[in-house]
Amino acid sequence: MSEKIRVKAIYNGTVQGVGFRATTAMLAENAGVTGTVRNLPDGSVELVAEGWPGDVDAYLDRIAEQLRHRIDTVDLRRGPATDEFDRFRIAY
């Protein structure tokens, strides 16, 4: 079995003030991922998700599908999981 991974994604577009963070948190509940999502000062949203590769990829695919009309670009960076999260949280 492969190792757990960590993905950091920066979403640009109409992603603040439109329920973007709440939607990513809702999708995380059933995806088997942990992590966090927060607004950044430049108007983008940063998402960090950790879990098994298939779970994380499926989660990112659901975000891309459900929020496609809000996302202009996404910058993804992958690495090994740090296991710092016990659940998925919205950062305020």
Side-chain angles (χ1 to χ4, degrees), residues 17-66:
V18 294
F20 191 93
R21 290 177 302 155
T23 301
T24 62
M26 178 196 67
L27 292 171
E29 287 181 20
N30 297 321
V33 300
T34 61
T36 189
V37 62
R38 68 183 179 122
N39 288 339
L40 296 178
D42 67 359
S44 63
V45 169
E46 177 189 67
L47 179 137
V48 177
E50 291 191 354
W52 299 110
D55 293 341
V56 173
D57 289 339
Y59 172 61
L60 295 173
D61 288 346
R62 284 187 209 106
I63 291 171
E65 179 182 320
Q66 288 200 16

Side-chain angles (χ1 to χ4, degrees), residues 1-7 49-57 78-83:
M1 186 176 252
S2 57
E3 297 289 321
K4 287 186 177 181
I5 62 167
R6 175 185 184 106
V7 172
E50 291 191 354
W52 299 110
D55 293 341
V56 173
D57 289 339
R78 294 175 179 266
T82 64
D83 291 325

